[in-house]
Amino acid sequence: METTLSYVIVTPYTIAKSRTGGVVARLLSQTDLDLVGAQMITPNEDFVREYADSLRKQEQPNLNSAGELLANYVQRNLAPSGGRPHRFLLLIFRGTDPCGKLSDVCGSLFAENHRAEVELLSGETLRDTYADLILDENNLNKVIYFEPAILTPRRQVLADENLALFVRYFKGVQNIVCNMTYDKPANIEQTLVILKPDNWNFASSRPGTIIDMFSRTGLRIVGIKVFYFSLSQALDFYGPVESVLIDKLSPIFERKAKDVLEREFEMNVELGNELSTAIGRKAAAEQFHKIVEFMSGRRPDTCPAGDKDKPGPIKCMIIIYEGENAVKKIRDVLGPTDPLKAPGGTVRREFGSNVMVNTAHASDAPESYKREKEIVKVDENTLISIVEEYLNKK
């Protein structure tokens, strides 16, 4: 079957209620689709109007009001209000029949029985869990309250039309949204989180679950993107810890080298011996190479020079959080570098394996954030270029 793109929009209400992680967890774990793009968007009125008009074209047998219901919702809830634009999260998926697969996970707009008793409701789909459709019991054609939680097209032709709309309106827009004013702006920080490669080895709810765990900080997600480290970026990012890591690990490996030399070769070796020291530092340096390879998919000592600046094959996700004391709040939920020393209820204790494969990174200081965001280019997002390339091939 043909490989195509489709999308899911996580609505402003779902984001504001910190349900983003739950939505992402199900989308990633219940399909075989590849998440190739993610971006936080603050749409303007012109986009909202055109997008709403496209939704009115949707046809669902025996449910002719669905397109109008969705269109009216979009116009009321995605457009700026009171001069403030609203955030929605745009997720782009690639695979075979993405519209059908995403629609199955997201669920039907209308429940089979609008007046089902609470005990008969289920959480089988995303809309079962997070959406609401309340009708007037005396007039089932009258909607009292409607919140769809997510928006996704059911047909590829509509998906392609909307993707072209995204390119027209969102090409070149800033990746970090700015739609909030604070009473004490001097207290507001931004911080960077990386969901590391071990979260993306197979279809899993882990990335979404981690986002959900961070949501208890009360911080706002103002930027998000799918990212592939180049070798050069990984070396720059982790460069400051190289000498510290070698100094810290060298004595450990030196003692191991001493034990092996004495046991296997019956040598009498003292700590500080030139041979054991050389082995210790080389083994420690190898650990740094492994960290870089883990993050970028390429080793510093074997990568061809021409490939060092190319994105590697290993997927990560970059998330920017904003709010008071953002750095500390995120670090508290993340937990210490060593998962075995992390308290219960922290991200690394829950999902980390060791000091290298520890599931996520977070900036440890505002100064670190400033350095790190430049390396991973948080102001840039490849989502629209991916969509544009797809549409140009059709």
Side-chain angles (χ1 to χ4, degrees):
M1 292 182 65
E2 182 186 10
T3 297
T4 56
L5 297 183
S6 189
Y7 70 88
V8 171
I9 285 177
V10 184
T11 66
Y13 183 79
T14 302
I15 293 170
K17 296 290 287 185
S18 295
R19 296 168 176 171
T20 308
V23 170
V24 171
R26 293 208 196 180
L27 291 171
L28 293 178
S29 63
Q30 293 184 238
T31 74
D32 60 355
L33 302 173
D34 185 18
L35 176 66
V36 296
Q39 187 166 358
M40 200 67 74
I41 302 287
T42 50
N44 61 28
E45 292 181 354
D46 291 338
F47 166 79
V48 171
R49 183 171 55 254
E50 283 200 50
Y51 183 54
D53 287 344
S54 77
L55 296 176
R56 290 188 172 95
K57 301 176 184 177
Q58 292 192 87
E59 296 179 1
Q60 296 187 42
N62 303 320
L63 293 174
N64 294 327
S65 62
E68 188 67 27
L69 183 63
L70 281 172
N72 290 339
Y73 171 86
V74 164
Q75 288 186 301
R76 286 194 309 269
N77 295 277
L78 266 63
S81 58
R84 184 200 301 272
H86 301 297
R87 296 171 298 161
F88 72 68
L89 176 59
L90 178 59
L91 302 170
I92 302 295
F93 291 87
R94 177 190 288 135
T96 58
D97 189 25
C99 291
K101 292 172 181 177
L102 291 172
S103 293
D104 287 345
V105 176
C106 290
S108 174
L109 193 63
F110 293 92
E112 292 185 5
N113 183 354
H114 300 325
R115 294 188 295 177
E117 296 179 8
V118 171
E119 289 79 4
L120 299 179
L121 297 175
S122 71
E124 184 176 358
T125 69
L126 281 169
R127 285 196 171 121
D128 287 340
T129 302
Y130 297 118
D132 287 302
L133 177 63
I134 302 175
L135 305 179
D136 188 333
E137 290 193 2
N138 299 317
N139 179 6
L140 294 182
N141 292 317
K142 181 180 180 181
V143 177
I144 296 176
Y145 178 76
F146 175 54
E147 169 52 55
I150 61 270
L151 304 168
T152 193
R154 292 187 174 274
R155 296 177 294 121
Q156 190 63 51
V157 63
L158 182 60
D160 290 345
E161 289 178 7
N162 291 159
L163 290 171
L165 189 66
F166 299 157
V167 171
R168 282 201 292 115
Y169 277 96
F170 304 143
K171 186 175 182 179
V173 300
Q174 62 184 22
N175 188 46
I176 306 299
V177 301
C178 181
N179 70 326
M180 188 73 176
T181 56
Y182 297 95
D183 293 335
K184 299 178 180 178
N187 296 341
I188 302 304
E189 295 177 340
Q190 290 183 349
T191 191
L192 178 146
V193 166
I194 301 175
L195 302 188
K196 292 184 176 183
D198 49 314
N199 296 295
W200 307 95
N201 292 331
F202 52 86
S204 168
S205 63
R206 275 177 55 170
T209 302
I210 292 169
I211 293 172
D212 190 52
M213 293 176 74
F214 283 131
S215 72
R216 68 183 189 233
T217 62
L219 301 172
R220 304 170 70 248
I221 296 176
V222 295
I224 186 170
K225 68 175 181 175
V226 175
F227 185 71
Y228 296 82
F229 272 94
S230 69
L231 174 61
S232 296
Q233 287 170 324
L235 286 169
D236 286 346
F237 198 93
Y238 287 96
V241 306
E242 180 178 10
S243 60
V244 176
L245 185 70
I246 291 175
D247 289 342
K248 183 177 180 179
L249 294 181
S250 291
I252 298 174
F253 288 116
E254 183 180 345
R255 285 193 293 272
K256 290 183 178 180
K258 173 182 180 299
D259 292 342
V260 170
L261 290 170
E262 289 183 338
R263 182 177 63 254
E264 299 296 332
F265 298 96
E266 297 182 352
M267 298 173 60
N268 184 18
V269 179
E270 294 183 1
L271 289 176
N273 176 281
E274 182 178 343
L275 178 59
S276 63
T277 299
I279 293 173
R281 294 194 67 80
K282 185 173 180 58
E286 172 65 16
Q287 295 305 302
F288 177 74
H289 284 190
K290 287 182 177 180
I291 291 175
V292 172
E293 182 181 17
F294 172 64
M295 294 300 295
S296 69
R298 295 190 171 113
R299 284 182 59 89
D301 53 350
T302 60
C303 179
D307 291 341
K308 289 185 177 180
D309 294 324
K310 296 179 181 178
I314 305 297
K315 180 190 294 188
C316 297
M317 178 177 277
I318 308 292
I319 308 175
I320 306 300
Y321 286 91
E322 179 180 271
E324 289 194 21
N325 302 314
V327 171
K328 182 180 186 305
K329 287 178 179 178
I330 289 294
R331 296 284 295 184
D332 287 347
V333 176
L334 178 64
T337 302
D338 187 349
L340 296 179
K341 297 179 181 178
T346 59
V347 169
R348 283 175 170 160
R349 184 65 176 184
E350 192 79 18
F351 297 109
S353 300
N354 53 55
V355 293
M356 181 172 71
V357 185
N358 58 10
T359 211
H361 165 88
S363 304
D364 60 10
E367 296 74 23
S368 298
Y369 168 66
K370 291 177 182 178
R371 185 187 72 85
E372 292 168 356
K373 74 173 185 176
E374 295 301 323
I375 295 172
V376 300
K377 301 179 180 179
V378 299
D379 292 328
E380 299 177 9
N381 197 314
T382 59
L383 182 147
I384 292 300
S385 62
I386 291 170
V387 173
E388 197 169 24
E389 181 181 5
Y390 160 74
L391 292 174
N392 288 339
K393 290 180 178 179
K394 291 188 69 66

